[in-house]
Amino acid sequence: MSTALEQASSVTGLVRENVAAHGRRAALTFVKSLDGAPEDDTWTYAELDAEARKAAAWLQAHCATGDRVLLLYPEGLHFTAAFLGCLYAGMVAVPSSLPGQYVYQRRRVTAIADDAGASAILTDTATLPSVREWAEAEGRTATALAATDTTDTTALADPDDWSRPAQDRDTLALLQYTSGSTGDPKGVMVSHGNLLHNAMCLTKPFGITDRGRFGSWIPHYHDMGLMALIVPPLLLGGACVLMSPTTFLKRPHWWLKMIDVYDLDWSPAPNFAYELCARMITDEQLAGLDLSRWTYAPNGSEPVQAATLTAFAKRFAPAGFRGDAFAPCYGLAESTVFVSGTGPREPVVRRADAEALANDEFRVVEGSRPGRDVVSNGRADEYDVRVVDPRTLEPLPEGRVGEIWLRGPSVAHGYWGNDAATREVFRARTADGQEGFLRTGDLGTLHHDEILTTGRLKEVLIIRGRNLYPQDIEYELRAQHAELVGLFGAAFSVPYRQDTGATENLLVIAHELRGRHADADMARLASDIKRTVSREFGASASGVVLVRRGGIRRTTSGKIQRTAMRDLLLAGGLNTVHLDADPKLRTLLDA
């Protein structure tokens, strides 16, 4: 199958070949219920192709080749048909979350539509009224708008009216907007060649064939949901099974039941999902599960925690889950999605000296010596990888922590309409003259040719000259305080200008708290949080902010928006239920 991915000239061409070869084979399934007998909707390759051609014919009648098309869909089958319809039509798909009811959600969708210069919007019938209301409120009344799931084919377009456009591997396929966890979302320009090469990168090391069965609950507009879940099986001729993210959050055990019932091989999720399942799934829900056929359990999209892998493997071993099914992976939208991963094997965990790590050195310690567990994300066989000092741009040797730089055919073409950011991020040059690298913004190291990540460059907390990683602090607090289990927190720094003129970074912890608590109990918890941070990380927290559940701002893909949390705190925009602040932080908050 790697040969087909390497030789294909476009996604359209390869999908159409699979339609011709496997027209009656199930391509896409959406699971609606797993209470009792499974309830689902399924399309064969022929049915999916007909829906895609219908959308493509409508687009070709209303737009021009290369136009951007905003895709606003709830979970289900029709998003994939609309996505393929854009590619079939020679247009550029722009996946997005729905506008939603909150101002910041609507603002994000508006920003994406404006940045992309969308000429058309596709949605489904049920969502059409709310999408139309948003479009009119945002002054997009001239934009072509249609629902693609009408049962009357001629009400949209006749699939036979579609004509295949000229395309090659350089043709732009989609704009994948970044999550915005460390800044404003940017439209990553992903070509047909990027999609084809990245599918090869993902499937080749794991030996996945046209019989591979993919499936998960990850949002379809997220790079992991679209390009590591939906696209690869369609290019291989395999099958994909989907579930709503909301369903997973309400019933985590349905994800694992889906893996069992639908016999999935590849079912990826972020680290928090494995943690949630290990903590929340009951013995009764565990009984009867058979996870022995789950070949690959990729863990990516956010830092992988070794303790989560251990807890999940122990909890679900009675259901037949094998530790060698774990596949910790590394990727990002700017490289289409997949960069590294190796399997099948037990997770490779290196214990790094914590003090050395705080000084950008990766030094493995043995036995019970103090350290931090760092999970290997495997090899990046299809990339040229460098670890680079982000300040001097000097390539670093093994054993040093720096910014991860990448080169290869999966690296996207740049940011849409943003030449300056494209030059800075996608056209990087090392101090010794090596050109054409992607600056990932991720910190890490190479150890035995495998990528180990330690954090995000923009989110590293520099406290009294030491580098601390916010995700480590957040995870440790949940591990040690029962009141925080299953909730989200954000560790960030706030700059404080001293009388001498020097700037000091104050460490602040914001965390969700469920239910109602007495003031004395919240004061005790805040003090305990400070003690944990001091004991485990050798740092003093200047403030602890407890907020109600849902109060930690996250991106549409679930990543913590730590910068946004800092800004909200300083602007008085947090719905705080308890604040423990030292005099320095109090001065900033009262200003």
Side-chain angles (χ1 to χ4, degrees), residues 79-101:
F79 166 83
T80 304
F83 172 76
L84 287 179
C86 291
L87 273 55
Y88 277 23
M91 295 174 197
V92 181
V94 185
S96 172
S97 57
L98 291 170
Q101 58 179 323

Side-chain angles (χ1 to χ4, degrees), residues 364-388:
V364 175
V365 297
E366 304 294 339
S368 60
R369 293 181 60 189
R372 172 192 162 195
D373 288 337
V374 182
V375 179
S376 171
N377 291 296
R379 296 186 305 276
D381 291 333
E382 303 297 327
Y383 290 85
D384 185 10
V385 184
R386 298 286 187 279
V387 176
V388 177

Side-chain angles (χ1 to χ4, degrees), residues 311-585:
F312 187 92
K314 181 179 179 180
R315 178 68 176 136
F316 295 101
F321 182 81
R322 305 182 317 277
D324 64 2
F326 274 130
C329 297
Y330 169 63
L332 65 161
E334 286 83 351
S335 64
T336 305
V337 64
F338 184 84
V339 173
S340 68
T342 301
R345 66 178 187 182
E346 293 283 341
V348 175
V349 180
R350 306 296 183 188
R351 192 158 186 80
D353 183 284
E355 281 303 314
L357 201 59
N359 291 290
D360 293 333
E361 294 183 24
F362 188 85
R363 189 181 308 147
V364 175
V365 297
E366 304 294 339
S368 60
R369 293 181 60 189
R372 172 192 162 195
D373 288 337
V374 182
V375 179
S376 171
N377 291 296
R379 296 186 305 276
D381 291 333
E382 303 297 327
Y383 290 85
D384 185 10
V385 184
R386 298 286 187 279
V387 176
V388 177
D389 186 315
R391 296 170 295 273
T392 67
L393 306 187
E394 292 282 352
L396 298 173
E398 183 167 318
R400 294 290 304 281
V401 173
E403 185 181 8
I404 298 169
W405 288 24
L406 303 170
R407 243 181 352 198
S410 278
V411 173
H413 291 210
Y415 293 125
W416 175 262
N418 196 332
D419 291 341
T422 295
R423 286 193 298 271
E424 179 184 355
V425 176
F426 288 87
R427 310 287 185 263
R429 175 176 176 161
T430 63
D432 60 359
Q434 301 175 68
E435 297 181 324
F437 281 95
L438 166 69
R439 297 189 63 166
T440 68
D442 291 310
L443 292 171
T445 191
L446 284 173
H447 188 73
H448 299 323
D449 292 327
E450 299 192 1
I451 293 179
L452 285 73
T453 60
T454 57
R456 289 286 292 164
L457 179 60
K458 291 183 179 179
E459 293 180 340
V460 170
L461 305 172
I462 304 176
I463 307 296
R464 297 185 182 276
R466 299 173 63 245
N467 292 344
L468 301 178
Y469 298 94
Q471 69 272 9
D472 293 338
I473 297 174
E474 295 154 8
Y475 184 86
E476 195 64 36
L477 291 175
R478 288 195 301 273
Q480 296 200 27
H481 300 282
E483 301 95 328
L484 308 181
V485 171
L487 300 171
F488 293 97
F492 52 89
S493 63
V494 175
Y496 174 77
R497 190 175 180 84
Q498 300 174 350
D499 294 337
T500 61
T503 299
E504 175 186 2
N505 288 325
L506 306 181
L507 176 59
V508 178
I509 311 296
H511 213 290
E512 294 175 347
L513 189 65
R514 63 167 61 86
R516 297 189 178 276
H517 300 264
D519 290 343
D521 292 336
M522 290 190 289
R524 175 195 52 77
L525 176 60
S527 294
D528 289 347
I529 287 173
K530 284 187 170 184
R531 280 193 289 271
T532 299
V533 172
S534 176
R535 180 178 63 251
E536 299 296 336
F537 299 95
S540 297
S542 292
V544 173
V545 187
L546 300 178
V547 298
R548 297 206 182 279
R549 189 172 186 177
I552 297 297
R553 183 69 63 85
R554 292 182 290 150
T555 68
T556 55
S557 61
K559 294 179 180 178
I560 305 298
Q561 291 183 299
R562 300 179 180 93
T563 302
M565 291 300 298
R566 180 196 62 202
D567 295 344
L568 285 170
L569 174 66
L570 294 176
L574 291 182
N575 184 17
T576 302
V577 296
H578 182 81
L579 173 64
D580 182 334
D582 69 10
K584 292 179 181 178
L585 180 60

Side-chain angles (χ1 to χ4, degrees), residues 44 103 307 339:
T44 64
V103 173
V339 173

Side-chain angles (χ1 to χ4, degrees), residues 165-177:
Q167 295 171 322
D168 59 28
R169 295 178 80 97
D170 288 330
T171 301
L172 188 58
L174 76 144
L175 300 182
Q176 180 64 47
Y177 276 81

